Amino acid sequence: MKQQTRQAAGRTTEALDARLPVAEGGGLLRKPFPDHWSFLLGELALYSLIVLVLTGVYLTLFFKPGMHEVVYDGSYTPLSGVRMSEAFDSTLHISFDVRGGLLIRQMHHWAALVFLAAIGVHLLRVFFTGAFRKPREVNWMIGVTLFLLALAEGFAGYSLPDDLLSGTGLRIAQGIMLSLPLVGSYLSMFVFGAEFPGHDMVSRLYGVHILLLPGLILALVTVHLILVFYLKHTQWAAPGRTNRNVVGRPLVPHFAATSGGLSLMVFGVTAFLGGVAQINPVWVYGPYRPDQASTGAQPDWYVGFLEGALRLVPPWETTVAGHTLMWNVLLPAVVLPLTLFALLYAYPFVEAWVTGDRREHHLCDRPRDRPVRTALGAAAVSAYAVLLLAGGNDVVALAFGISLNALTWMLRTALIVLPVAVFLVTKRLCLALQEAEHERLAEGEETGLMRQTVEGGYEEEHRPVGEEERYVVLYGSMPAAPPLPAAGRDGSGEEAGEGDGAGRLRSALSHWFAAASQPRTASRESARQLRDRPPDS
């Protein structure tokens, strides 16, 4: 029986190989994947995307993307006889009259939040561990682009029901368009098809939401996964794991089983949240009316930082040649996000230029071993947290009974002071962790036992640090590139930069970035091992 089974399997494989690249792809099934939990964040985003696609297909069967007015006569009696758009009417129909409609709709919304959160946390993991460096700069840029497209996709889907909350968000989006000098009014008329709100916005957003943006996202996800397979996977350092190999479990069956279990968890958690945790109850807000606004309106978290930035910038305006520049909208809603994503796209190349490090990196950096990069990331996260809190400053002020004006000024101050403080504290914390580790290598690990000497004194007993911990401390990250010499120091300035000015700047940044890469209190033994280890270890 077993012999017949093997023969049948062999014939099937031969038949498939004659028509499909089975033999060539068979080697990929044994590709090793590190089994650390942090590497599953990308899979978390992938499986939430699958939930989004499946639930979104179901919702398209019942949603009507129209803005023509109808009179509601559905099951939700508080809105009976109210005039509303076809989009809002069909959203209520899905929520109250379609079997399982509310569950699927809420699963879709929760999966969108999980999708964006997973991408964001995945990007943070890649940033703090240095996994964006050569040869993965393109994959980093693809990830940033996916996050940007996911933001746009989330906002488009959030706006489709045409309720009072989403309509207020679209009104803010129109105000952002109008803040653009010279072209703002033309862009608004082009997007909305008429004066706001027009009659075409929902139908246009519907096509973008179910076709254009999903197509781009799926295409980029495919390219991203191809590059993950093509490039060597990053891994955490450990005995036997170097910059030249990858140690992990094969794709099939071990990693596939782990990843498959994660997919079931994602489906289960989103279904549980969709069933018990209410989200976006559009019937409470009612249909959108241009002359109304919802009290305490808050956007989804992923655009909350833009809302906070809009609330923090003072009402600055400038009139030039009859044109009014609304700095209080242009700066936080246009300049800020453009600057943010420009920095994200450029950072791998900026760090490589500053450090002069052109090596391939396949080992993850421990964040404490790169204090400046870690401090920059922590400072950016703190600034984002301040903006997110500012996006709900009215709700916070009401809940805690404090002055809205005073809270706004506190948040303005925090936006300037807190990132600087977080940067300094994080950098110092990274250095302290390094120093504590190397002190433990030199003196041993505390046992908690005291010993009395013959002189009558007391000393604590220590035991040697384990070999695995010693390896991680000494070789947990590739050695940092040495700081570049100052421009002109060797008479040419070629190593430091293109010219004297740029060279001096690059040299200063290189010293600033590299000076904190080694602890000041490293033992002689650990310092010698750090100095003598091979650069690709």
Side-chain angles (χ1 to χ4, degrees):
M1 183 66 181
K2 293 182 178 179
Q3 182 67 22
Q4 294 176 349
T5 303
R6 284 196 295 267
Q7 291 176 353
R11 288 193 298 270
T12 303
T13 302
E14 291 178 1
L16 291 174
D17 188 51
R19 297 163 177 82
L20 299 171
V22 175
E24 291 79 359
L28 295 177
L29 301 180
R30 306 301 296 172
K31 180 178 175 63
F33 279 80
D35 54 0
H36 194 270
W37 66 266
S38 62
F39 298 116
L40 293 175
L41 294 172
E43 278 74 16
L44 183 62
L46 175 63
Y47 295 132
S48 58
L49 175 61
I50 294 175
V51 176
L52 279 171
V53 172
L54 295 177
T55 55
V57 169
Y58 183 82
L59 293 175
T60 58
L61 301 177
F62 306 99
F63 183 74
K64 297 179 181 179
M67 297 188 70
H68 297 290
E69 281 196 342
V70 297
V71 177
Y72 181 70
D73 61 352
S75 301
Y76 188 67
T77 54
L79 290 178
S80 294
V82 175
R83 300 184 65 85
M84 58 186 64
S85 65
E86 289 180 321
F88 189 71
D89 178 75
S90 63
T91 304
L92 294 179
H93 175 69
I94 292 171
S95 301
F96 294 106
D97 299 314
V98 174
R99 186 177 297 275
L102 182 59
L103 172 65
I104 299 299
R105 182 174 157 265
Q106 295 198 146
M107 281 183 63
H108 190 73
H109 203 128
W110 278 115
L113 299 184
V114 174
F115 179 56
L116 279 152
I119 294 178
V121 177
H122 182 55
L123 285 173
L124 287 176
R125 198 279 300 176
V126 171
F127 177 83
F128 283 117
T129 62
F132 53 81
R133 293 172 299 178
K134 183 180 178 181
R136 298 175 184 83
E137 301 95 334
V138 173
N139 231 9
W140 165 263
M141 297 175 69
I142 290 175
V144 174
T145 305
L146 279 171
F147 187 61
L148 180 60
L149 292 176
L151 289 175
E153 174 75 343
F155 180 77
Y158 176 81
S159 304
L160 286 179
D162 196 34
D163 60 290
L164 187 57
L165 186 61
S166 66
T168 303
L170 281 175
R171 186 62 162 176
I172 295 174
Q174 192 226 10
I176 295 172
M177 297 176 196
L178 292 176
S179 71
L180 296 173
L182 301 179
V183 300
S185 57
Y186 299 101
L187 180 62
S188 175
M189 291 291 290
F190 173 76
V191 170
F192 290 93
E195 289 289 344
F196 181 86
H199 295 284
D200 301 324
M201 190 58 194
V202 169
S203 59
R204 292 181 178 184
L205 277 177
Y206 186 66
V208 170
H209 181 68
I210 70 168
L211 183 61
L212 178 60
L213 290 178
L216 292 174
I217 289 174
L218 292 174
L220 286 179
V221 166
T222 302
V223 175
H224 184 75
L225 293 176
I226 290 174
L227 289 178
V228 168
F229 272 82
Y230 176 74
L231 300 172
K232 190 187 300 182
H233 208 292
T234 58
Q235 62 183 349
W236 294 101
R241 299 179 182 180
T242 71
N243 200 49
R244 294 182 174 181
N245 65 7
V246 177
V247 179
R249 299 183 181 275
L251 175 61
V252 176
H254 299 86
F255 183 79
T258 302
S259 187
L262 178 64
S263 69
L264 297 178
M265 291 176 62
V266 172
F267 275 80
V269 170
T270 52
F272 176 78
L273 290 174
V276 303
Q278 179 175 273
I279 187 170
N280 197 24
V282 296
W283 52 89
V284 176
Y285 310 127
Y288 178 66
R289 294 285 183 269
D291 59 338
Q292 297 179 5
S294 179
T295 302
Q298 304 296 313
D300 282 338
W301 70 267
Y302 48 85
V303 291
F305 75 101
L306 287 178
E307 175 79 12
L310 285 167
R311 297 187 184 195
L312 289 186
V313 176
W316 297 333
E317 292 184 357
T318 303
T319 301
V320 179
H323 295 279
T324 300
L325 296 178
M326 301 181 295
W327 299 110
N328 57 324
V329 179
L330 185 64
L331 289 177
V334 179
V335 177
L336 173 65
L338 289 179
T339 303
L340 170 63
F341 279 96
L343 290 174
L344 288 175
Y345 280 116
Y347 186 84
F349 308 99
V350 172
E351 183 177 307
W353 177 78
V354 167
T355 61
D357 190 351
R358 306 295 180 182
R359 300 168 296 175
E360 287 195 2
H361 291 266
H362 303 294
L363 281 179
C364 292
D365 283 335
R366 297 191 312 161
R368 67 186 65 182
D369 292 335
R370 298 293 182 265
V372 173
R373 181 203 298 149
T374 303
L376 287 173
V381 171
S382 68
Y384 174 84
V386 172
L387 292 177
L388 188 62
L389 180 62
N393 60 352
D394 54 340
V395 177
V396 174
L398 179 63
F400 290 94
I402 58 179
S403 168
L404 177 60
N405 187 58
L407 178 61
T408 301
W409 275 103
M410 284 191 293
L411 292 173
R412 287 172 179 170
T413 305
L415 185 60
I416 299 173
V417 175
L418 185 61
V420 177
V422 169
F423 176 87
L424 296 175
V425 171
T426 303
K427 182 180 176 182
R428 183 60 252 176
L429 181 60
C430 290
L431 293 173
L433 290 172
Q434 291 186 64
E435 292 169 1
E437 285 181 334
H438 284 269
E439 182 180 352
R440 194 161 63 251
L441 289 186
E443 300 179 0
E445 192 172 359
E446 297 178 355
T447 62
L449 299 177
M450 302 299 295
R451 179 172 55 193
Q452 186 174 11
T453 64
V454 294
E455 294 83 3
Y458 295 92
E459 61 182 18
E460 187 176 6
E461 288 189 1
H462 293 76
R463 62 170 175 264
V465 175
E467 287 300 321
E468 185 170 352
E469 182 180 353
R470 178 180 293 272
Y471 184 95
V472 171
V473 172
L474 294 176
Y475 311 116
S477 304
M478 286 184 65
L484 299 172
R489 184 166 296 177
D490 60 353
S492 64
E494 293 179 358
E495 294 184 16
E498 298 76 7
D500 287 344
R504 283 193 295 269
L505 174 62
R506 185 182 181 190
S507 177
L509 291 174
S510 176
H511 280 77
W512 173 66
F513 197 93
S517 295
Q518 303 298 342
R520 294 177 298 178
T521 61
S523 65
R524 291 183 179 180
E525 178 191 0
S526 62
R528 177 182 59 78
Q529 294 182 60
L530 284 168
R531 182 183 67 250
D532 297 340
R533 67 179 175 178
D536 58 351
S537 62

